[in-house]
Amino acid sequence: MSAFISNNATEVDPKEREASLREKVPELLAADEHVILAFKARGGKGRDSSCMTNLRIILKDKQGMSGKKTEYKSIPYKAIRGYAVETAGSLDGDVELKLYCAGVGKLKYDFMKKEVDIFKIKRFLNQMVLVGKGTGLGAGATAITTDPSAVGSGKTSIFDLVGDNASQIDAKAVESALRTNPRILVDDESVELAFKCGRDSFLLTDKRILQIDVQGASGKRIEYFTILWPTVKAFSIESAGNVLDRDAELRIFTNLPDTPRDSPGAGAPRRARTRINIDFRKGRADIYAIQRFFADKVLGTDTVDPSASAVSMAGQVDSGSGNPFSWMGDDSRMVDAEAMDRQYKVNPPILQHCEKVEMAFKGRRDLVLMTSKRLLFVDIKGAFGLGKKVEFTSLPWTTVTAFGVKSAGSFMDKDSECLIWTDFDDIWYPPTEGEDSPPPPPIPRRSFIELDFQKDKVDLMAVHRYLSERCLRVEGGHKDADGYYTPNLRPYDMPVSPDIMAPTKPGALDAVLGWLGNDAHALNPAELNAQLHGDTKMLQDDERAVLAYKAGRDTLVFTNKRIFIIDVQGMSGKRIAYKSVPYSSVRSFAVESAGSWDTDSEVKIWGKFHWMDGPGNKIKQDLRKGKADIIAIQAYLAEQTIGSQDGKAALPAGATAAEAGKVSNLLSFLGDNAVSTNPSEIEKQFKTSPRILQSDEKVEQAYKCGRDLCVFTSKRIVLVDRQGMSGKRIEYRTVPLRYCHAFKFNTAGSLMSEPKCKIYVSGAADVQQDLSKSSSDVWSVQKILAEKILKK
């Protein structure tokens, strides 16, 4: 009875479950798909169920009084970024499974503790998730040579007890225990570092990060939480301080897809799992050895001996701030990169031997190092920088999803800026100060980083050129086997040429801005190429401007490597931001034509970042009506984001839904639900007027929804949204199938209920589509998505 009331599931026969699915919904499972584990809600008496196949997790949810409306949610294993199982406590009747899925967020399921072996589920997920790229880069991370302590050994300071700090323990002893009772590890998995903090443990294996959290007074309720190495996007260590600050710290920044909280004034992060903090007892863990281990796993294994070659900015003389306002504002200046390279390979040993510092900047006391593998922030704590506590934060170049520089404004503005956008949501909502006070604005923290430079001590265009070399793909071999463009960044052993950081010719930037002018117009790409490859060298040698537009004071350029935005700010127009978005960061895009009364058209970009002038990931740029060919922009963005990969169809030729009758057409129109449209006619239209599709792209299904259209192609989803009274303002939005991570379908219920589908997209708005139950073949769309998402 308690299982029925609490909706706890029990395990059922997987073969019977598979047979039932193939009989009742024959289109759901693929021919080569088989149910491995199956469960039914409410102790086997409920309407809902779930199963784990060799391709995905399928969640069945019967809805409504009649139960005729059924939702089928599909979660591919490659969408899982983290997972946890939790055992039952003394008084608990259930065990739990938690999944963190790209695009979907956090999912939680309860099972009957006496009927379901929760570790059996965890072992199955280990087999399906801990494979290939899911285990990260540096499988051969540097071995730790410090002597671990036996569990419970050694003296403990009162400060350690109060601070709940961890100490290192024998990794092999922990590994042996987790191979028997309970059997947690994969057969070929090795525990490389292990730490114990009270009753809890924190383990680093060659395949994952494993947190063991013992809960409750009895300690029987235990959570085993797996974090995949590829979700670790940055990390930091903090050395121990003086007597009252005895603990060293490790902080891991992840992009675990925890469900975000929109809670201004809450005094909490937007995503609870972005930051994972571990405190270590002073003298009981080698924090620099831990840093080396994370560097090997996240940056790639250190296998190259130190090089005798000089680094790019060697010999840069530190002339000091020379300005009290810059000193008070903590604005940074250039310093000798070679000296920084020597120091941080020895004292303390932060850098890898194969790594080189290429640019270095110093503020009042803190440092920013740009190396061949990462951005390294050195934050010296304590009054006047005299304390022993120092934080080192490592941000790999692969985590940088967009970048820019911003020039200083009028003569009173003493600082220029470097702008960095990252691949994890670290946004913080500060607490509200009083009941009647409005909530303070959110803080981006490491989601968006601004570095202030002394404008007369840092060559801003040299920084821009360097970031372009490190954050844009190198030409040649930048498409994968399916034709997708991949972020093939400059290898660490390919140093940036010193010519890139050579001083910019005085007046070069003003000359380019003068040529651009202030009027709105389309720009000649050939002339713009000459300007941007001139003395400023804003573009790389192998980079070219393909499309370019001027709107007011701003300029939008599409090159063969990035979207380049020149944003003129302030009354004087002297403060200018130069922003770069690599195509590998684009997750969706849309172009919108001008309407009858509109003076401009628009282009919208959804990217792999979380802060853009506030929480959000959309860039919107207005273009002057009649001056921009939005169809050309759409076609070029499609080439850069979905590539020229195989456009083969997932459905057999001619597999379309039946035409609807007159009455159902009328009801669908009134209800604004989608009526299936002939794919061949849509394909012909979209390859001619307007030319939206690529030559090898096939339309598989198309649905007309009032005046709008939803088109499923062999490469993407195209959403056509007609707006306004006249319907002349039309938005064409593209969602590449490669960024669709999971999907669900609702079958039709009784009366006015209609079938629906939802596609979960990472880094952009999800796609939701109503379908007409009398004419739409919902299973055809399921087959398309299963073929493109489950088996891609």
Side-chain angles (χ1 to χ4, degrees):
M1 178 62 73
S2 62
F4 184 87
I5 295 174
S6 59
N7 200 26
N8 296 336
T10 188
E11 189 170 4
V12 296
D13 187 280
K15 293 184 178 179
E16 292 181 4
R17 181 61 184 152
E18 181 177 340
S20 176
L21 289 174
R22 292 199 184 277
E23 177 186 355
K24 296 178 180 179
V25 279
E27 304 91 343
L28 179 62
L29 297 179
D32 59 346
E33 188 172 10
H34 301 287
V35 176
I36 311 299
L37 296 173
F39 308 93
K40 196 165 186 179
R42 301 194 185 278
K45 306 294 184 181
R47 303 186 301 177
D48 303 336
S49 61
S50 60
C51 61
M52 298 181 180
T53 80
N54 55 316
L55 297 179
R56 56 179 155 174
I57 298 173
I58 301 176
L59 308 171
K60 177 186 174 184
D61 178 16
K62 280 187 170 290
Q63 303 172 350
M65 293 293 292
S66 68
K68 291 183 178 180
K69 190 177 184 71
T70 306
E71 176 186 282
Y72 296 93
K73 182 181 291 184
S74 294
I75 310 292
Y77 296 110
K78 58 193 167 189
I80 298 175
R81 302 292 185 261
Y83 54 96
V85 297
E86 191 172 287
T87 60
S90 299
L91 302 177
D92 298 319
D94 65 325
V95 291
E96 294 180 5
L97 168 67
K98 300 170 188 174
L99 302 174
Y100 296 82
C101 309
V104 180
K106 178 182 175 181
L107 301 173
K108 178 176 170 291
Y109 308 97
D110 296 329
F111 302 97
M112 296 176 62
K113 69 176 181 180
K114 294 183 179 180
E115 304 294 333
V116 175
D117 182 354
I118 195 66
F119 293 110
K120 177 181 175 181
I121 297 175
K122 184 170 182 62
R123 288 193 294 272
F124 177 76
L125 288 175
N126 288 346
Q127 295 175 18
M128 305 308 292
V129 179
L130 297 179
V131 294
K133 295 180 180 178
T135 58
L137 285 176
T142 304
I144 305 302
T145 57
T146 55
D147 294 327
S149 302
V151 177
S153 68
K155 296 181 180 180
T156 301
S157 164
I158 183 64
F159 296 107
D160 294 324
L161 293 175
V162 173
D164 198 24
N165 300 327
S167 60
Q168 187 175 346
I169 57 177
D170 189 340
K172 295 308 172 184
V174 174
E175 181 180 324
S176 177
L178 294 180
R179 291 196 185 280
T180 53
N181 187 25
R183 187 157 59 92
I184 296 294
L185 302 180
V186 180
D187 290 342
D188 62 344
E189 186 174 9
S190 173
V191 176
E192 307 200 7
L193 274 178
F195 304 93
K196 193 161 184 64
C197 179
R199 300 185 301 175
D200 303 334
S201 300
F202 179 72
L203 314 178
L204 305 175
T205 85
D206 59 339
K207 294 184 179 293
R208 58 177 153 176
I209 298 171
L210 182 60
Q211 284 187 298
I212 303 175
D213 180 15
V214 181
Q215 305 169 9
S218 67
K220 291 184 177 181
R221 192 167 187 86
I222 305 173
E223 181 186 68
Y224 299 85
F225 183 37
T226 289
I227 303 169
L228 302 188
W229 277 112
T231 68
V232 178
K233 295 301 177 181
F235 57 93
S236 70
I237 61 164
E238 192 172 277
S239 59
N242 296 312
V243 176
L244 296 179
D245 192 5
R246 295 170 45 84
D247 59 319
E249 298 177 12
L250 167 68
R251 177 174 292 143
I252 306 168
F253 300 86
T254 78
N255 67 350
L256 274 171
D258 196 6
T259 304
R261 295 177 292 192
D262 187 14
S263 307
R270 191 162 77 155
R271 295 184 191 264
R273 292 287 189 176
T274 295
R275 292 190 176 201
I276 298 173
N277 300 318
I278 307 294
D279 292 342
F280 298 103
R281 295 181 191 173
K282 185 175 182 181
R284 300 293 294 276
D286 186 341
I287 194 68
Y288 295 113
I290 295 170
Q291 192 279 155
R292 291 199 303 274
F293 180 86
F294 269 85
D296 279 356
K297 288 298 294 184
V298 179
L299 304 177
T301 308
D302 186 2
T303 57
V304 178
D305 292 332
S307 172
S309 61
V311 292
S312 300
M313 292 300 291
Q316 173 72 33
V317 177
D318 180 12
S319 57
S321 67
N323 188 315
F325 296 103
S326 297
W327 186 88
M328 292 172 62
D330 201 18
D331 298 336
S332 297
R333 59 194 184 275
M334 278 186 175
V335 294
D336 188 348
E338 187 176 18
M340 296 297 102
D341 187 83
R342 288 195 301 267
Q343 177 178 343
Y344 288 104
K345 281 182 177 173
V346 180
N347 185 28
I350 297 295
L351 301 178
Q352 293 181 318
H353 293 308
C354 62
E355 186 177 10
K356 282 292 182 181
V357 176
E358 297 179 310
M359 297 191 87
F361 308 90
K362 185 176 183 181
R364 270 198 311 271
R365 58 186 184 182
D366 300 336
L367 292 164
V368 178
L369 309 182
M370 296 182 179
T371 83
S372 53
K373 286 195 171 187
R374 58 181 146 178
L375 267 169
L376 180 62
F377 302 90
V378 183
D379 182 9
I380 301 174
K381 310 281 187 177
F384 305 105
L386 299 177
K388 295 182 179 180
K389 207 168 185 67
V390 182
E391 182 181 36
F392 301 90
T393 302
S394 294
L395 189 74
W397 290 119
T398 51
T399 298
V400 177
T401 55
F403 62 93
V405 294
K406 186 186 293 186
S407 63
S410 60
F411 70 96
M412 290 295 293
D413 193 356
K414 299 299 181 184
D415 66 320
S416 55
E417 296 173 12
C418 173
L419 315 174
I420 300 292
W421 287 267
T422 65
D423 187 19
F424 53 91
D425 187 351
D426 196 31
I427 295 171
W428 171 267
Y429 292 113
T432 302
E433 294 184 358
E435 293 183 1
D436 299 328
S437 302
I443 300 171
R445 297 197 295 185
R446 296 292 185 184
S447 291
F448 172 61
I449 301 168
E450 291 181 285
L451 305 175
D452 293 334
F453 294 142
Q454 288 185 241
K455 66 179 182 180
D456 57 340
K457 300 288 185 179
V458 175
D459 187 333
L460 199 62
M461 284 298 106
V463 175
H464 167 80
R465 291 193 294 270
Y466 175 81
L467 291 174
S468 297
E469 292 294 317
R470 280 295 168 203
C471 299
L472 297 181
R473 66 175 183 244
V474 294
E475 289 298 339
H478 54 259
K479 289 184 181 180
D480 64 15
D482 295 321
Y484 292 128
Y485 280 108
T486 59
N488 185 20
L489 303 184
R490 176 181 291 272
Y492 69 87
D493 56 356
M494 184 189 294
V496 176
S497 169
D499 294 339
I500 296 297
M501 278 85 77
T504 305
K505 185 178 179 180
L509 197 55
D510 292 335
V512 172
L513 296 175
W515 178 82
L516 289 173
N518 288 322
D519 56 325
H521 59 281
L523 299 172
N524 184 307
E527 295 178 4
L528 184 61
N529 267 311
Q531 291 290 332
L532 298 182
H533 279 107
D535 293 330
T536 59
K537 296 182 180 179
M538 287 188 185
L539 301 186
Q540 294 177 291
D541 291 340
D542 59 350
E543 186 179 9
R544 66 186 186 281
V546 179
L547 298 170
Y549 304 94
K550 190 82 170 61
R553 300 189 299 176
D554 301 336
T555 303
L556 176 66
V557 183
F558 297 92
T559 82
N560 59 315
K561 291 191 175 187
R562 62 178 137 182
I563 302 167
F564 187 39
I565 302 170
I566 302 176
D567 179 12
V568 180
Q569 305 171 359
M571 293 293 292
S572 66
K574 291 184 177 181
R575 191 163 183 81
I576 305 168
Y578 303 86
K579 302 175 184 177
S580 295
V581 181
Y583 291 116
S584 58
S585 296
V586 176
R587 290 296 174 265
S588 180
F589 62 88
V591 295
E592 189 173 293
S593 63
S596 300
W597 305 102
D598 300 311
T599 59
D600 57 1
S601 53
E602 292 179 353
V603 60
K604 302 172 186 176
I605 306 292
W606 288 266
K608 194 173 63 169
F609 31 79
H610 302 273
W611 182 275
M612 192 56 65
D613 299 323
N617 65 334
K618 183 169 71 172
I619 298 173
K620 178 181 174 182
Q621 188 70 37
D622 293 335
L623 302 171
R624 182 59 60 93
K625 181 179 180 180
K627 299 295 184 181
D629 184 347
I630 63 168
I631 301 303
I633 294 174
Q634 188 281 150
Y636 191 70
L637 284 172
E639 171 62 23
Q640 294 296 328
T641 55
I642 65 176
S644 57
Q645 77 275 13
D646 183 10
K648 68 179 181 181
L651 295 177
T656 62
E659 294 186 5
K662 294 181 180 179
V663 175
S664 59
N665 278 343
L666 177 61
L667 291 176
S668 293
F669 173 76
L670 292 175
D672 209 32
N673 293 322
V675 177
S676 183
T677 304
N678 191 321
S680 60
E681 293 180 1
I682 297 296
E683 183 176 325
K684 181 179 178 181
Q685 184 75 29
F686 276 25
K687 285 188 175 180
T688 54
S689 180
R691 190 174 181 179
I692 299 294
L693 304 182
Q694 295 180 316
S695 59
D696 64 339
E697 193 171 2
K698 306 295 183 184
V699 172
E700 309 225 48
Q701 287 286 82
Y703 300 98
K704 193 170 186 303
C705 184
R707 299 188 302 175
D708 304 334
L709 196 64
C710 176
V711 181
F712 293 87
T713 84
S714 53
K715 297 185 177 185
R716 55 178 153 172
I717 302 169
V718 180
L719 303 171
V720 182
D721 179 16
R722 298 182 65 182
Q723 305 169 7
M725 293 293 292
S726 67
K728 291 184 177 180
R729 190 169 184 87
I730 305 174
E731 179 185 88
Y732 302 89
R733 181 188 168 200
T734 284
V735 181
L737 286 172
R738 66 179 302 193
Y739 300 128
C740 298
H741 292 288
F743 55 92
K744 71 177 182 180
F745 289 89
N746 289 84
T747 60
S750 304
L751 300 175
M752 301 298 292
S753 176
E754 302 288 350
K756 300 178 181 179
C757 72
K758 180 176 181 178
I759 297 98
Y760 297 92
V761 185
S762 177
D766 297 332
V767 176
Q768 301 189 63
Q769 183 64 54
D770 289 344
L771 305 169
S772 171
K773 64 182 176 183
S774 60
S775 64
S776 297
D777 186 357
V778 65
W779 297 110
S780 292
V781 179
Q782 198 276 159
K783 185 173 182 179
I784 295 168
L785 295 174
E787 184 70 27
K788 296 295 184 178
I789 297 177
L790 297 183
K791 300 181 179 182
K792 67 181 179 181

